Coordinates of all heavy atoms in Angstrom, one line a residue:
V74 N 1.5 -15.0 -12.4 CA 0.8 -16.2 -12.6 C 0.6 -16.9 -11.3 O -0.4 -17.5 -10.9 CB 1.6 -17.1 -13.6 CG1 1.0 -18.5 -13.7 CG2 1.7 -16.5 -15.0
A108 N 16.3 17.4 -17.7 CA 17.6 17.2 -17.1 C 17.9 18.2 -16.0 O 18.5 17.9 -15.0 CB 18.7 17.3 -18.2
I129 N 11.1 7.4 0.4 CA 9.8 7.8 0.9 C 8.8 7.7 -0.2 O 7.7 7.2 0.0 CB 9.9 9.2 1.5 CG1 10.8 9.2 2.8 CG2 8.5 9.7 1.8 CD1 11.0 10.5 3.4
I167 N 9.7 -7.9 2.7 CA 10.4 -7.2 1.6 C 11.8 -6.8 1.9 O 12.7 -6.9 1.1 CB 9.5 -6.0 1.2 CG1 8.1 -6.5 0.6 CG2 10.2 -5.2 0.1 CD1 7.2 -5.3 0.4
L191 N 31.7 2.1 -13.3 CA 31.8 2.6 -11.9 C 32.9 1.7 -11.2 O 32.9 0.5 -11.3 CB 30.5 2.4 -11.2 CG 29.3 3.3 -11.7 CD1 28.1 3.0 -10.8 CD2 29.7 4.8 -11.6
L218 N 0.5 1.1 5.9 CA -0.5 0.1 6.0 C -1.2 0.0 7.3 O -2.4 -0.3 7.4 CB 0.2 -1.3 5.7 CG 0.6 -1.5 4.2 CD1 1.3 -2.9 4.1 CD2 -0.6 -1.4 3.3
L230 N -27.0 5.9 19.4 CA -28.3 6.0 20.1 C -29.3 6.8 19.2 O -29.0 8.0 18.9 CB -28.2 6.6 21.5 CG -27.5 5.7 22.5 CD1 -26.0 5.9 22.5 CD2 -28.0 6.1 23.9
N243 N -27.3 -3.3 4.9 CA -27.5 -3.4 3.5 C -26.6 -2.6 2.6 O -26.2 -3.1 1.5 CB -29.0 -3.0 3.2 CG -30.0 -3.9 3.9 OD1 -29.7 -5.1 4.1 ND2 -31.1 -3.3 4.3
G254 N -30.2 -0.9 26.3 CA -29.7 0.1 27.2 C -30.8 0.8 28.0 O -32.0 0.6 27.8

Side-chain angles (χ1 to χ4, degrees):
V74 175
I129 292 175
I167 295 171
L191 296 181
L218 290 179
L230 288 84
N243 297 328

